[in-house]
Amino acid sequence: MSHSTAQLPIKEVLYQKVVDHLAFIYPELGIESIAQELIHTMRLDEDCQSPLAHKNLWDQTDIAVITYGNSILGENQPPLKVLHHFLQTHFPMLINTVHILPFFPYSSDDGFAVAAYKQVDPPLGDWHDILRISTDFHLMADLVINHCSAQHDWFLNYQKGEDPGSDFFVEVDPSEDLSKVVRPRITPLLRATSTPQGTRHVWCTFGHDQIDLDFKNPKVLAKIVDIIRLYLDMGVRVFRLDAVAFIWKRLGTNCLNLEETHEIVRLLRTLIEHANPNAVIITETNIPNQENLSYFGNANEAHCIYNFSLPPLLVNTLVTGNCRYLKNWLMSMPPAQNGTTYFNFIASHDGIGLRPVEGLLDDSELEALIQTMENFGGQVSWRALDDGSNKPYEINIALFDALKGTTAGEDEWQLRRFICAHAIMLALEGLPAFYLHSLVGTTNDYERMKEHGHNRAINRRQWQEHDLNEKLADPDSHHHVVFQQLRRLIKIRRTQPAFHPNATQFTLHLGDQVFAFWRQSMDRRQSIFCLNNISDQPQTISLNAINLIGTDEWKDLISEATYEDMLTTITLDPYQTLWISNRW
């Protein structure tokens, strides 16, 4: 920082922090007035709290669910009320965090082309519904920060040369060399747009209905901060910064993960945590693993980062029956500092991203994975490369169908393989998040994909609450079995200190067919050895090989089997998980 802050009041410390952030982002502008505006917008000149560095804002009881506001529909009730009722009914004391995907008016991309940031989409409900959910759950919401809808008032004003919006978007001469720009889509980067000044070409990272905002204009930053303040008032505790890696553009670069981008994340962190020290920032950066890790900063950027490499590596492990790549990746992952953690997920509203395994899976493994997913009904989405060619970007498939077999084809182990995947996620260092459709075993929705005309719709089914409840109550339904088994695993996890998101983790080496790791509680009183047979053949292990302490009593938390003879061997059935603990 540019000044000593040791003896200063908290508001002065905050002001100096904000000034320092802005001085890096806007070195050629007078930033004092901008700092004052941002602080005033956040009402930090009225009420400013002091955040604690390296404080863990979570523990082993924190479990998240990811869902659209209208994933479950009911009779004559707004979908947000139906969702609230469903979660209260089925997950009391099990799920405590709910990520409602963009619930604002939108024009495309199932909500991520936001047409009005300060409204709840009327077909979903209203702000009262959001507030009610936030009273019973930690509410996670998207800050769609990189772009807005072409139907947003800002862009409509831009086309008319009016404010606010006339200078909110990135204009580029199409003759510029943009070949280095990294894209997640195959659509043209620039969109020709008529304005009072003639035709202009605006930057569209994700498509022509999603126009990138120009953060080089501090007025754009001020608008985003104003939106953040509203979301805090509406009960949002966890902010998911959507596509944040793309927000700063500099010609001649790949326009990804630029230093100004990181500084903006640090600035938003400063503002948010001084408004609510218990608020959390999660960065959504679907990029190669090492680049993703950079968003922790020095525990001063994201509190959590999406563990994007986990879904493709885990699916690859379970369909090949070999955990070598997953194990190598796990050994390379640094322990998260206190005050930061990984946001673990293995399914989401999007597909299984392939960029996060660049450098982790070789080309032959990737090709085999893609082919296997296509054999199980999956689709492949593509991105454009700078040479004009296209490359697979993600696999679109419901996770339940992705695990219906192996590279050899479909088999009888689909259900056990699916439960094994979630048992691994629940036990790993980090905060686990379940996609709602995984919790209930939803399968590929080909009709919705055909109706909506894009691959991602295959995993975005809308259930009628009555129909879903019937399936969950039917013991012969796979939905019921998935639901009950996952609920049980969640219940077990929540009572184990060794499963704290920041508890110690070490990778164990028990061959390529057993993915194993050790967790130890932060007070070192509990150890859990997590053994997962990721193959379709039984695997035998000597207890001596995992160094169980003979003076302790050991029990598998899942099967409740006990182990007394440390020289004995145990056999894991196909896709069986053991959580062997010395405390229960």
Side-chain angles (χ1 to χ4, degrees):
M1 296 183 66
S2 58
H3 306 280
S4 172
T5 61
Q7 305 300 321
L8 293 176
I10 182 60
K11 289 183 181 180
E12 292 187 32
V13 173
L14 170 64
Y15 175 75
Q16 289 183 13
K17 281 187 173 183
V18 173
V19 165
D20 287 345
H21 292 311
L22 291 171
F24 185 91
I25 302 166
Y26 305 114
E28 298 178 358
L29 297 180
I31 42 112
E32 289 78 8
S33 62
I34 302 172
Q36 291 169 352
E37 178 186 2
L38 298 183
I39 290 170
H40 179 71
T41 297
M42 289 288 286
R43 299 200 298 275
L44 298 176
D45 47 1
E46 302 172 15
D47 180 20
C48 179
Q49 303 182 60
S50 182
L52 293 176
H54 301 288
K55 178 184 178 182
N56 291 325
L57 301 173
W58 42 76
D59 61 24
Q60 64 272 16
T61 66
D62 287 292
I63 310 283
V65 62
I66 304 165
T67 179
Y68 278 103
N70 58 2
S71 290
I72 304 176
L73 305 175
E75 293 290 336
N76 303 316
Q77 284 197 83
L80 287 171
K81 282 187 177 178
V82 177
L83 173 65
H84 190 192
H85 178 261
F86 181 85
L87 295 175
Q88 284 181 311
T89 301
H90 293 292
F91 294 102
M93 304 303 293
L94 290 178
I95 298 290
N96 68 351
T97 301
V98 56
H99 173 202
I100 306 177
L101 291 153
F103 47 79
F104 320 105
Y106 68 97
S107 56
S108 64
D109 199 15
D110 278 359
F112 285 92
V114 178
Y117 286 95
K118 290 190 169 188
Q119 299 174 28
V120 174
D121 197 19
L124 292 178
D126 56 31
W127 281 117
H128 294 292
D129 298 311
I130 294 294
L131 280 167
R132 277 189 286 268
I133 292 172
S134 74
T135 62
D136 291 326
F137 300 91
H138 300 321
L139 178 61
M140 178 172 167
D142 290 274
L143 186 65
V144 184
I145 192 170
N146 179 71
H147 51 263
C148 69
S149 165
Q151 299 304 311
H152 195 287
D153 284 347
W154 295 341
F155 191 65
L156 298 178
N157 285 346
Y158 170 80
Q159 293 172 301
K160 295 182 288 186
E162 298 176 358
D163 291 323
S166 65
D167 52 358
F168 277 19
F169 301 95
V170 182
E171 295 181 351
V172 181
D173 187 325
S175 65
E176 293 280 359
D177 180 7
L178 302 172
S179 61
K180 292 183 180 180
V181 176
V182 171
R183 299 288 316 290
R185 299 289 187 271
I186 59 175
T187 53
L189 176 62
L190 301 182
R191 165 180 160 160
T193 304
S194 297
T195 75
Q197 290 73 40
T199 299
R200 295 289 186 267
H201 293 81
V202 292
W203 194 294
C204 303
T205 297
F206 289 89
H208 286 186
D209 190 45
Q210 293 164 287
I211 319 298
D212 285 38
L213 295 164
D214 187 2
F215 279 87
K216 291 182 180 178
N217 181 350
K219 289 189 289 185
V220 170
L221 176 63
K223 287 290 187 183
I224 295 298
V225 169
D226 182 49
I227 292 164
I228 289 172
R229 180 65 260 181
L230 173 67
Y231 292 0
L232 284 166
D233 293 341
M234 293 297 109
V236 174
R237 177 181 165 184
V238 185
F239 290 83
R240 177 184 183 269
L241 304 190
D242 177 65
V244 68
F246 298 92
I247 64 174
W248 197 270
K249 282 76 174 172
R250 185 182 305 118
L251 297 182
T253 74
N254 64 4
C255 299
L256 190 65
N257 311 315
L258 298 183
E259 276 302 314
E260 291 85 352
T261 294
H262 283 281
E263 195 67 39
I264 289 172
V265 174
R266 290 190 280 269
L267 168 62
L268 297 182
R269 163 82 176 255
T270 295
L271 293 170
I272 289 171
E273 68 183 4
H274 279 81
N276 180 357
N278 292 315
V280 170
I281 289 177
I282 300 183
T283 48
E284 188 268 336
T285 49
N286 192 356
I287 51 181
N289 193 55
Q290 289 303 313
E291 297 174 35
N292 188 31
L293 288 169
S294 70
Y295 283 87
F296 277 141
N298 184 22
N300 61 350
E301 293 188 34
H303 295 86
C304 306
I305 61 170
Y306 272 77
N307 219 343
F308 273 109
S309 297
L310 178 60
L313 286 174
L314 184 52
V315 170
N316 180 73
T317 293
L318 289 164
V319 300
T320 63
N322 189 312
C323 66
R324 176 165 59 96
Y325 292 99
L326 181 63
K327 189 163 54 176
N328 288 342
W329 165 77
L330 193 67
M331 289 189 293
S332 75
M333 295 294 281
Q337 297 185 55
N338 282 331
T340 68
T341 195
Y342 296 103
F343 192 74
N344 292 331
F345 73 108
I346 53 177
S348 75
H349 61 292
D350 289 338
I352 300 170
L354 299 178
R355 288 216 70 207
V357 289
E358 291 179 8
L360 300 176
L361 287 181
D362 60 37
D363 289 344
S364 62
E365 286 282 328
L366 198 56
E367 290 173 10
L369 175 62
I370 292 171
Q371 184 60 60
T372 302
M373 295 301 98
E374 289 181 322
N375 291 343
F376 297 160
Q379 306 292 312
V380 178
S381 295
W382 302 79
R383 69 182 182 94
L385 300 180
D386 56 11
D387 62 3
S389 63
N390 297 330
K391 186 175 183 178
Y393 177 70
E394 67 179 16
I395 302 166
N396 305 109
I397 191 170
L399 185 64
F400 191 73
D401 283 319
L403 298 176
K404 65 169 56 175
T406 67
T407 52
E410 297 183 27
D411 60 24
E412 72 271 30
W413 302 111
Q414 179 179 16
L415 183 59
R416 296 188 66 166
R417 194 180 287 116
F418 184 75
I419 299 301
C420 178
H422 287 91
I424 290 171
M425 179 187 75
L426 279 167
L428 284 171
E429 174 190 355
L431 197 159
F434 289 83
Y435 188 39
L436 179 66
H437 287 300
S438 292
L439 280 170
V440 300
T442 303
T443 56
N444 290 336
D445 191 337
Y446 300 109
E447 290 184 11
R448 186 170 177 84
M449 183 178 68
K450 182 177 179 180
E451 176 188 348
H452 285 254
H454 61 84
N455 292 344
R456 285 179 168 177
I458 197 173
N459 195 24
R460 298 178 179 178
R461 183 188 296 270
Q462 289 181 309
W463 283 100
Q464 292 292 327
E465 184 181 26
H466 175 74
D467 293 341
L468 180 55
N469 283 334
E470 279 192 348
K471 291 184 182 298
L472 296 180
D474 179 2
D476 295 327
S477 165
H478 83 265
H479 302 282
H480 170 87
V481 178
V482 164
F483 193 59
Q484 295 302 324
Q485 291 195 26
L486 292 182
R487 279 168 48 93
R488 182 167 181 267
L489 289 176
I490 291 170
K491 185 175 181 180
I492 295 171
R493 177 217 155 82
R494 295 183 78 251
T495 60
Q496 311 307 319
F499 284 154
H500 186 289
N502 294 85
T504 299
Q505 175 175 287
F506 281 107
T507 308
L508 304 177
H509 301 276
L510 300 176
D512 288 340
Q513 280 67 56
V514 178
F515 179 57
F517 50 94
W518 170 66
R519 303 295 310 278
Q520 184 184 56
S521 61
M522 299 174 82
D523 63 7
R524 300 187 179 183
R525 296 180 63 193
Q526 184 187 32
S527 288
I528 300 180
F529 290 86
C530 307
L531 312 181
N532 306 275
N533 181 357
I534 49 78
S535 77
D536 58 7
Q537 299 297 316
Q539 301 295 322
T540 300
I541 297 170
S542 168
L543 286 180
N544 192 45
I546 57 176
N547 295 320
L548 299 185
I549 299 172
T551 56
D552 284 353
E553 296 181 4
W554 296 92
K555 176 180 177 178
D556 173 30
L557 300 172
I558 300 174
S559 70
E560 300 188 347
T562 56
Y563 306 98
E564 297 177 359
D565 182 359
M566 297 302 106
L567 299 179
T568 193
T569 59
I570 53 175
T571 299
L572 278 74
D573 292 332
Y575 306 106
Q576 183 179 1
T577 292
L578 301 181
W579 288 344
I580 302 177
S581 175
N582 62 344
R583 293 185 180 273
W584 52 89

